[in-house]
Amino acid sequence: MTTPTQSATAAATPERAASTPDPAPAADAAAAMTPGAAPVAHGFPSIAPVPFDPEIAPILEAMAAAPQPPLTEETLPLMRDGAPAFPSGAEVAAGLPVTAEELVIPGPPGSPALEITVFRPEDPGPVPLPILVNFHGGGMIVGHRSWEHGRVADLVARHGVVGVNVEYRLAPKHPFPAGVEDNYAATRWVAEHAAELGGDASRIVVMGGSAGGAFAAAVALMARDRGGPALAGQLLLCPMLDNTNSSVSSLQYDGIGTWQRDANLLAWRCVLGEELAFSPEAPAYAAPGRAADLSGLPPACIEVGAAEMFRDEDVDYARRIWAAGGTAELHVWSGGFHGFDMYAPGAEITRAALASRDSWLQRILNGADDD
């Protein structure tokens, strides 16, 4: 089940849609994929795209009929300041058998404190509960944890877990490594204070969609490399993993869909700066697709639409986890555009995706998929 808050959140994101134009000539596609060339956005597909699911395609048509201003570094502050107010954690919890608590916790050493929202079942019982630590989407350049209060509170209500929604610093004002260090610090704090939260430190799953999925993957890498905390799983929803923007799918969704190629190029420039923005030498904690070693990671569930630009990098991440002897479950939803579950909560593709997501969580939280 998806809550109304989730749907409202998606509608307010700075993502745009357009009907599918004819693809660019093959020469344009070849030039765009030339190694070492700085990627560009043409505003139309360089390679013929996978069609959108017919049930949800009208959503994109409606969005294209009312386009939002272009997303640029100059307009980012206006989009942040002009974003509508979303319900607080308490307001979201009021409609569910869930409570909400706002906390301020220490940030990384030498950095500002962090705000988190903690959701718990109204009647948690005496046994410590699993914990979901969520990082919101927004390309690492926009967004707020309140965008995803509905998603987190809904999971808390249905799975009987503790849900922690994290606020982190955004680029370009705070480029890498600010955001990922904030999210790692929050995860460490949650693990160290799990008992106070009513949670079980041995059953922590990090999760997020889009940029949040990138942060979840990066936190899993950092926890492995830094000796903890131990994580039970990583739930990566259409994660933003590859800064090079060189895959076939990244060229198929240039100018169409929700999160488009031009916005992705902007996001990586803001996060990494011009020199590293699209470089294969970018740090793995910024772009987890750059990680040379994907062994020793907690079980992953990777979910992505077949009709979005992150498809190929997400499939490749799952493939590389398997190649390293790790555990990954991959779901590629035919015709799904980026964030389809948020934009189309009542669609059949969303019902199927949520059911698969719930199944994975149940198996991970009950220890059935433990290596």
PDB file of all heavy atoms in Angstrom, residues 290-304:
ATOM      1  N   ARG A 290      31.304   3.069  -9.086  1.00  0.00           N
ATOM      2  CA  ARG A 290      32.747   3.145  -9.284  1.00  0.00           C
ATOM      3  C   ARG A 290      33.509   2.182  -8.366  1.00  0.00           C
ATOM      4  O   ARG A 290      34.728   2.042  -8.498  1.00  0.00           O
ATOM      5  CB  ARG A 290      33.265   4.570  -9.015  1.00  0.00           C
ATOM      6  CG  ARG A 290      32.593   5.677  -9.841  1.00  0.00           C
ATOM      7  CD  ARG A 290      33.217   5.843 -11.211  1.00  0.00           C
ATOM      8  NE  ARG A 290      33.083   4.674 -12.079  1.00  0.00           N
ATOM      9  CZ  ARG A 290      31.970   4.329 -12.711  1.00  0.00           C
ATOM     10  NH1 ARG A 290      30.876   5.055 -12.575  1.00  0.00           N
ATOM     11  NH2 ARG A 290      31.924   3.255 -13.468  1.00  0.00           N
ATOM     12  N   ALA A 291      32.833   1.550  -7.430  1.00  0.00           N
ATOM     13  CA  ALA A 291      33.508   0.652  -6.483  1.00  0.00           C
ATOM     14  C   ALA A 291      34.147  -0.512  -7.228  1.00  0.00           C
ATOM     15  O   ALA A 291      33.493  -1.193  -8.027  1.00  0.00           O
ATOM     16  CB  ALA A 291      32.530   0.141  -5.443  1.00  0.00           C
ATOM     17  N   ALA A 292      35.430  -0.750  -6.957  1.00  0.00           N
ATOM     18  CA  ALA A 292      36.141  -1.850  -7.609  1.00  0.00           C
ATOM     19  C   ALA A 292      35.792  -3.194  -7.000  1.00  0.00           C
ATOM     20  O   ALA A 292      35.868  -4.229  -7.669  1.00  0.00           O
ATOM     21  CB  ALA A 292      37.649  -1.612  -7.528  1.00  0.00           C
ATOM     22  N   ASP A 293      35.399  -3.203  -5.736  1.00  0.00           N
ATOM     23  CA  ASP A 293      35.159  -4.448  -5.001  1.00  0.00           C
ATOM     24  C   ASP A 293      33.771  -4.403  -4.380  1.00  0.00           C
ATOM     25  O   ASP A 293      33.493  -3.561  -3.522  1.00  0.00           O
ATOM     26  CB  ASP A 293      36.234  -4.611  -3.917  1.00  0.00           C
ATOM     27  CG  ASP A 293      36.046  -5.861  -3.068  1.00  0.00           C
ATOM     28  OD1 ASP A 293      35.223  -6.730  -3.448  1.00  0.00           O
ATOM     29  OD2 ASP A 293      36.706  -5.958  -2.006  1.00  0.00           O
ATOM     30  N   LEU A 294      32.900  -5.293  -4.797  1.00  0.00           N
ATOM     31  CA  LEU A 294      31.548  -5.363  -4.241  1.00  0.00           C
ATOM     32  C   LEU A 294      31.359  -6.623  -3.400  1.00  0.00           C
ATOM     33  O   LEU A 294      30.230  -7.046  -3.162  1.00  0.00           O
ATOM     34  CB  LEU A 294      30.511  -5.319  -5.360  1.00  0.00           C
ATOM     35  CG  LEU A 294      30.467  -4.021  -6.180  1.00  0.00           C
ATOM     36  CD1 LEU A 294      29.332  -4.061  -7.192  1.00  0.00           C
ATOM     37  CD2 LEU A 294      30.352  -2.794  -5.288  1.00  0.00           C
ATOM     38  N   SER A 295      32.449  -7.191  -2.929  1.00  0.00           N
ATOM     39  CA  SER A 295      32.344  -8.355  -2.048  1.00  0.00           C
ATOM     40  C   SER A 295      32.076  -7.913  -0.617  1.00  0.00           C
ATOM     41  O   SER A 295      32.310  -6.766  -0.244  1.00  0.00           O
ATOM     42  CB  SER A 295      33.632  -9.175  -2.099  1.00  0.00           C
ATOM     43  OG  SER A 295      34.728  -8.433  -1.578  1.00  0.00           O
ATOM     44  N   GLY A 296      31.560  -8.841   0.187  1.00  0.00           N
ATOM     45  CA  GLY A 296      31.397  -8.594   1.606  1.00  0.00           C
ATOM     46  C   GLY A 296      30.316  -7.608   1.962  1.00  0.00           C
ATOM     47  O   GLY A 296      30.317  -7.035   3.071  1.00  0.00           O
ATOM     48  N   LEU A 297      29.363  -7.403   1.066  1.00  0.00           N
ATOM     49  CA  LEU A 297      28.272  -6.463   1.331  1.00  0.00           C
ATOM     50  C   LEU A 297      27.040  -7.189   1.856  1.00  0.00           C
ATOM     51  O   LEU A 297      26.851  -8.383   1.606  1.00  0.00           O
ATOM     52  CB  LEU A 297      27.914  -5.713   0.048  1.00  0.00           C
ATOM     53  CG  LEU A 297      28.985  -4.786  -0.512  1.00  0.00           C
ATOM     54  CD1 LEU A 297      28.568  -4.260  -1.879  1.00  0.00           C
ATOM     55  CD2 LEU A 297      29.260  -3.635   0.452  1.00  0.00           C
ATOM     56  N   PRO A 298      26.158  -6.476   2.582  1.00  0.00           N
ATOM     57  CA  PRO A 298      24.916  -7.106   3.028  1.00  0.00           C
ATOM     58  C   PRO A 298      24.014  -7.409   1.840  1.00  0.00           C
ATOM     59  O   PRO A 298      24.161  -6.798   0.766  1.00  0.00           O
ATOM     60  CB  PRO A 298      24.293  -6.043   3.944  1.00  0.00           C
ATOM     61  CG  PRO A 298      24.859  -4.754   3.465  1.00  0.00           C
ATOM     62  CD  PRO A 298      26.255  -5.067   3.004  1.00  0.00           C
ATOM     63  N   PRO A 299      23.087  -8.350   1.988  1.00  0.00           N
ATOM     64  CA  PRO A 299      22.170  -8.669   0.891  1.00  0.00           C
ATOM     65  C   PRO A 299      21.485  -7.419   0.348  1.00  0.00           C
ATOM     66  O   PRO A 299      21.076  -6.543   1.114  1.00  0.00           O
ATOM     67  CB  PRO A 299      21.159  -9.622   1.536  1.00  0.00           C
ATOM     68  CG  PRO A 299      21.910 -10.242   2.662  1.00  0.00           C
ATOM     69  CD  PRO A 299      22.829  -9.179   3.181  1.00  0.00           C
ATOM     70  N   ALA A 300      21.366  -7.353  -0.965  1.00  0.00           N
ATOM     71  CA  ALA A 300      20.780  -6.192  -1.629  1.00  0.00           C
ATOM     72  C   ALA A 300      19.504  -6.578  -2.346  1.00  0.00           C
ATOM     73  O   ALA A 300      19.402  -7.667  -2.913  1.00  0.00           O
ATOM     74  CB  ALA A 300      21.777  -5.594  -2.624  1.00  0.00           C
ATOM     75  N   CYS A 301      18.554  -5.663  -2.323  1.00  0.00           N
ATOM     76  CA  CYS A 301      17.390  -5.735  -3.212  1.00  0.00           C
ATOM     77  C   CYS A 301      17.448  -4.495  -4.076  1.00  0.00           C
ATOM     78  O   CYS A 301      17.448  -3.369  -3.574  1.00  0.00           O
ATOM     79  CB  CYS A 301      16.083  -5.779  -2.430  1.00  0.00           C
ATOM     80  SG  CYS A 301      14.605  -5.860  -3.480  1.00  0.00           S
ATOM     81  N   ILE A 302      17.544  -4.694  -5.387  1.00  0.00           N
ATOM     82  CA  ILE A 302      17.672  -3.589  -6.329  1.00  0.00           C
ATOM     83  C   ILE A 302      16.444  -3.596  -7.226  1.00  0.00           C
ATOM     84  O   ILE A 302      16.140  -4.599  -7.867  1.00  0.00           O
ATOM     85  CB  ILE A 302      18.950  -3.723  -7.161  1.00  0.00           C
ATOM     86  CG1 ILE A 302      20.182  -3.757  -6.240  1.00  0.00           C
ATOM     87  CG2 ILE A 302      19.060  -2.585  -8.172  1.00  0.00           C
ATOM     88  CD1 ILE A 302      21.481  -4.077  -6.957  1.00  0.00           C
ATOM     89  N   GLU A 303      15.751  -2.480  -7.244  1.00  0.00           N
ATOM     90  CA  GLU A 303      14.510  -2.357  -8.013  1.00  0.00           C
ATOM     91  C   GLU A 303      14.649  -1.170  -8.956  1.00  0.00           C
ATOM     92  O   GLU A 303      15.111  -0.097  -8.556  1.00  0.00           O
ATOM     93  CB  GLU A 303      13.350  -2.142  -7.047  1.00  0.00           C
ATOM     94  CG  GLU A 303      12.020  -1.850  -7.698  1.00  0.00           C
ATOM     95  CD  GLU A 303      10.974  -1.446  -6.676  1.00  0.00           C
ATOM     96  OE1 GLU A 303      10.732  -2.235  -5.743  1.00  0.00           O
ATOM     97  OE2 GLU A 303      10.421  -0.341  -6.809  1.00  0.00           O
ATOM     98  N   VAL A 304      14.251  -1.344 -10.221  1.00  0.00           N
ATOM     99  CA  VAL A 304      14.374  -0.276 -11.201  1.00  0.00           C
ATOM    100  C   VAL A 304      13.348  -0.498 -12.303  1.00  0.00           C
ATOM    101  O   VAL A 304      12.900  -1.629 -12.536  1.00  0.00           O
ATOM    102  CB  VAL A 304      15.812  -0.240 -11.773  1.00  0.00           C
ATOM    103  CG1 VAL A 304      16.100  -1.482 -12.624  1.00  0.00           C
ATOM    104  CG2 VAL A 304      16.102   1.048 -12.526  1.00  0.00           C
TER     105      VAL A 304
END
